[in-house]
Amino acid sequence: GHFECPPYNQQTIRSAYHVRNIEVFKLKQLKRPIDIFMSHDWPRSIYHYGNKKQLLKMKSFFRQEVESNTLGSPAASELLQHLKPTYWFSAHLHVKFAAFMQHQANSKEELPKATKFLALDKCLPHRDFLQIIDIEHDPSAGDSLEYDAEWIAVLKATNSLVNVTQSSWIMPENNGLHAKWDYSVTEEAIKEVLEELNHNLKIPCNFTLTAACYDPSKPQKHVEPVHTINPQTTEFCAQFGLTDINDRIQQAKEEGSVRGEYEEEEEEEEMDSTGSAEEPSEYTTDNSGLSSINPDEIMLDEEGGDEDLSTCSVDPSPDHPPDFSASFSDIRIMPDSMAVSSDDAMDSTNEELEKSGVSKQVEEKSLSERPLKRIGGNENGNSGIKKIKRRNQAIYAAEDEDKIE
């Protein structure tokens, strides 16, 4: 469930990063076509659909996880295969990588869809951090941001599934334990949303200041963050009859502050249980160890030092010219804006998928053997105070990055 809020403790500052299965579940209810999907982490397995050889040349420390097919987010991979968006953009791994994934059609009548994936490098000198992509715009649509009627209808349909406790919360499945497991919405439900809004989907300009602007003349160090209820969210939830998660968390906090110690102990015991009679989720709850420990990443660490870690970028070789020109087969043709070099793009899909198609037991074993990311502290798992620091501060100096590396 969503339960973390400021001030964070040593446990919630880590768990707040995690993707909730309810968010994956809600997104999987969407049926209408999606143009663009954005995620921080890469979808697992996407590296099999691009120039994997060049990727591993740039980031050799990804090799073990790429070969065991454990790099990236399994939740994102699930959504990629389900939603089949036209474009998928990700960040996190700090390297430019493009891929073209051809999806299988669900029926003979359905035309097969394809997703163009793109990740970019860090915003630093001599790095591929920017790319312009032209996307067609519906000439009949307005220029302002608008609500999506189907998504609003999905939020209303799944509102009863909202959970603000620390207990595991498994979503309804078609396994005989749930009366309802399909929360996708009908055209009638979408029509009801449109009628609620009088067919005006324009998002209101109702921004409200909830925190004081930074004043450099009055620096405030070590100010403890406070839990704030956002009035825009409150208004949105009230308009559509949705649960305001932040408000519900605040209520739970206030109720917890007046409860006895006995009840709090019961809550801790409940947190250790599955919280449900259902089978465990198909992927682990803690995804913090699912991505490589990336020397390029700005991480939350415990000890100081602004030194720049060595990056794994390499100079372009004759086999891989810097313009990343493309020469794919018909099924892999990309627009110029998604071009990458084609060294092993053709054979990487089939052969490497077979090679890296490891069993679930091997996958779980590899997860347990790898050190988890963002973990520090004592034997009890209590991490110290986290500090955000920029590892590559030196790169912003006058020296050229190539000399530094």
Side-chain angles (χ1 to χ4, degrees), residues 288-304:
S288 59
L290 292 175
S291 295
S292 286
I293 298 175
N294 187 350
D296 278 349
E297 184 179 8
I298 299 168
M299 296 174 64
L300 298 178
D301 284 344
E302 297 167 14
E303 298 185 5

Side-chain angles (χ1 to χ4, degrees), residues 215-283:
D215 185 351
S217 65
K218 300 176 182 178
Q220 297 181 354
K221 295 183 178 179
H222 310 299
V223 176
E224 189 175 77
V226 295
H227 185 210
T228 304
I229 306 299
N230 188 294
Q232 295 147 247
T233 305
T234 301
E235 182 180 333
F236 174 81
C237 292
Q239 182 175 9
F240 298 107
L242 304 174
T243 298
D244 185 341
I245 294 177
N246 270 321
D247 186 56
R248 179 70 67 83
I249 291 173
Q250 184 64 36
Q251 291 177 21
K253 280 178 61 181
E254 292 171 356
E255 291 170 5
S257 64
V258 298
R259 288 188 302 179
E261 187 177 330
Y262 174 74
E263 286 179 302
E264 289 180 1
E265 288 176 358
E266 277 190 328
E267 206 171 79
E268 288 176 7
E269 289 175 8
E270 183 184 354
M271 179 182 163
D272 293 334
S273 68
T274 60
S276 170
E278 297 143 32
E279 294 294 320
S281 176
E282 60 190 273
Y283 42 79

Side-chain angles (χ1 to χ4, degrees), residues 158-344:
T158 57
N159 190 58
S160 61
L161 301 177
V162 170
N163 173 28
V164 297
T165 74
Q166 300 179 46
S167 303
S168 296
W169 194 243
I170 309 302
M171 292 297 102
E173 299 177 49
N174 184 11
N175 57 5
L177 298 176
H178 302 92
K180 181 179 180 180
W181 58 86
D182 185 356
Y183 284 77
S184 58
V185 295
T186 62
E187 290 299 321
E188 289 75 16
I190 296 174
K191 186 178 178 182
E192 287 178 12
V193 171
L194 290 171
E195 290 173 353
E196 280 184 50
L197 294 169
N198 294 320
H199 293 266
N200 179 17
L201 294 171
K202 186 176 180 179
I203 296 176
C205 296
N206 60 346
F207 174 77
T208 306
L209 200 67
T210 57
C213 295
Y214 174 70
D215 185 351
S217 65
K218 300 176 182 178
Q220 297 181 354
K221 295 183 178 179
H222 310 299
V223 176
E224 189 175 77
V226 295
H227 185 210
T228 304
I229 306 299
N230 188 294
Q232 295 147 247
T233 305
T234 301
E235 182 180 333
F236 174 81
C237 292
Q239 182 175 9
F240 298 107
L242 304 174
T243 298
D244 185 341
I245 294 177
N246 270 321
D247 186 56
R248 179 70 67 83
I249 291 173
Q250 184 64 36
Q251 291 177 21
K253 280 178 61 181
E254 292 171 356
E255 291 170 5
S257 64
V258 298
R259 288 188 302 179
E261 187 177 330
Y262 174 74
E263 286 179 302
E264 289 180 1
E265 288 176 358
E266 277 190 328
E267 206 171 79
E268 288 176 7
E269 289 175 8
E270 183 184 354
M271 179 182 163
D272 293 334
S273 68
T274 60
S276 170
E278 297 143 32
E279 294 294 320
S281 176
E282 60 190 273
Y283 42 79
T284 57
T285 308
D286 184 352
N287 288 338
S288 59
L290 292 175
S291 295
S292 286
I293 298 175
N294 187 350
D296 278 349
E297 184 179 8
I298 299 168
M299 296 174 64
L300 298 178
D301 284 344
E302 297 167 14
E303 298 185 5
D306 290 333
E307 70 278 12
D308 178 39
L309 293 183
S310 60
T311 64
C312 292
S313 297
V314 296
D315 293 329
S317 67
D319 297 330
H320 299 281
D323 63 353
F324 290 92
S325 59
S327 57
F328 289 77
S329 68
D330 291 343
I331 198 169
R332 290 181 165 274
I333 287 178
M334 290 182 176
D336 292 339
S337 59
M338 296 291 289
V340 290
S341 51
S342 59
D343 183 83
D344 68 342

Side-chain angles (χ1 to χ4, degrees), residues 40 42 54-55 57-59 61-62 89-98 117-131 294-298 308-316 324 340 390 392 395-396 401-402 405:
H40 178 68
W42 292 21
Q54 175 71 4
L55 173 65
K57 185 177 181 181
M58 299 283 287
K59 303 286 181 179
F61 46 86
F62 290 168
F89 302 127
S90 293
H92 184 52
L93 296 183
H94 303 299
V95 61
K96 180 179 179 179
F97 180 75
F117 173 85
L118 179 65
L120 294 172
D121 207 339
K122 288 197 295 187
C123 186
L124 291 173
H126 314 296
R127 306 285 277 267
D128 291 314
F129 62 84
L130 179 65
Q131 190 159 323
N294 187 350
D296 278 349
E297 184 179 8
I298 299 168
D308 178 39
L309 293 183
S310 60
T311 64
C312 292
S313 297
V314 296
D315 293 329
F324 290 92
V340 290
R390 183 165 292 285
N392 47 17
I395 296 179
Y396 291 94
E401 188 198 31
D402 293 335
E405 293 183 346

